[in-house]
Amino acid sequence: DTVANEFGIESEFVQRIVYLLLILIIALIAGIVFKKILTPLLKRLVHHTSFKIDDYIFKDDIYKILSRLVPAFIVSVLLPSCFDSDETNSMLYIICTRGISTYIVFLIATFIGKLLTFTADYYKSTQPDNHYLDVVTQFAKLIIYFIAFIVIISVIINKNPATLIAGLGAAATIL
């Protein structure tokens, strides 16, 4: 407390940083537990089912994304407890919440894209003469990533995604 005061830093700011570091440590531990303990259990469970589609869908990329989502959700849930209700307008809180929300949207879009790819791989293995499946999958992924981009921009600038889409529609009309 006195060291922080000597450098002109408020003790409350130092306390917030310590809380944030604790939240990050908890989230990292949860991510490691998911990756090292739950992922092997889920892999064994999926591998021993009689269904073949789950072998295609639940590949290593999916588990990597899930092991990154777990800490992100934990940080997202615990972050508001680090700040008082009157501090939710502080720059540190805004940067942290928008950053973690952006990361979660990115991971969810990546997760959905991988699921689409792996599902298409399964159906290509069962129906090899279906040539349109790749086109449909790529188009669906393009739409997902476009929506994710709009949501990420809306999170960063703190606007409603529908407002951004309406603005894009108006701009397209003018052009």
Side-chain angles (χ1 to χ4, degrees):
D1 200 25
T2 58
V3 174
N5 288 338
E6 287 180 24
F7 289 106
I9 302 172
E10 294 180 21
S11 63
E12 294 161 1
F13 181 75
V14 173
Q15 186 179 16
R16 297 288 176 254
I17 297 297
V18 169
Y19 286 153
L20 285 173
L21 289 174
L22 285 173
I23 289 171
L24 289 176
I25 290 170
I26 291 168
L28 289 174
I29 290 171
I32 290 170
V33 166
F34 184 87
K35 188 175 188 175
K36 300 292 183 187
I37 296 172
L38 292 177
T39 297
L41 290 173
L42 288 173
K43 282 183 178 180
R44 255 187 256 131
L45 179 70
V46 166
H47 194 62
H48 290 313
T49 62
S50 60
F51 301 109
K52 292 295 177 198
I53 191 168
D54 59 1
D55 295 332
Y56 279 89
I57 292 176
F58 291 104
K59 292 186 178 180
D60 286 339
D61 290 347
I62 294 296
Y63 294 113
K64 285 180 190 175
I65 295 169
L66 288 175
S67 69
R68 292 176 183 152
L69 264 173
V70 168
F73 279 127
I74 289 174
V75 169
S76 177
V77 168
L78 294 179
L79 189 63
S81 67
C82 182
F83 294 89
D84 295 331
S85 61
D86 59 333
E87 295 176 325
T88 56
N89 291 331
S90 72
M91 187 59 72
L92 182 62
Y93 180 78
I94 291 170
I95 289 171
C96 290
T97 55
R98 290 184 189 176
I100 198 67
S101 297
T102 299
Y103 185 60
I104 289 172
V105 170
F106 172 76
L107 287 175
I108 290 173
T110 306
F111 179 79
I112 294 170
K114 294 285 185 186
L115 279 179
L116 286 172
T117 300
F118 296 149
T119 305
D121 290 345
Y122 170 74
Y123 283 110
K124 281 192 289 187
S125 72
T126 60
Q127 302 172 358
D129 58 339
N130 192 347
H131 303 289
Y132 299 109
L133 192 57
D134 284 333
V135 174
V136 171
T137 303
Q138 292 299 322
F139 185 69
K141 285 170 62 173
L142 180 70
I143 290 172
I144 300 259
Y145 292 136
F146 178 74
I147 291 170
F149 177 74
I150 295 294
V151 171
I152 287 172
I153 296 298
S154 70
V155 165
I156 290 172
I157 64 173
N158 198 26
K159 297 287 181 189
N160 187 346
T163 306
L164 290 177
I165 292 173
L168 286 174
T173 304
I174 292 172
L175 295 176

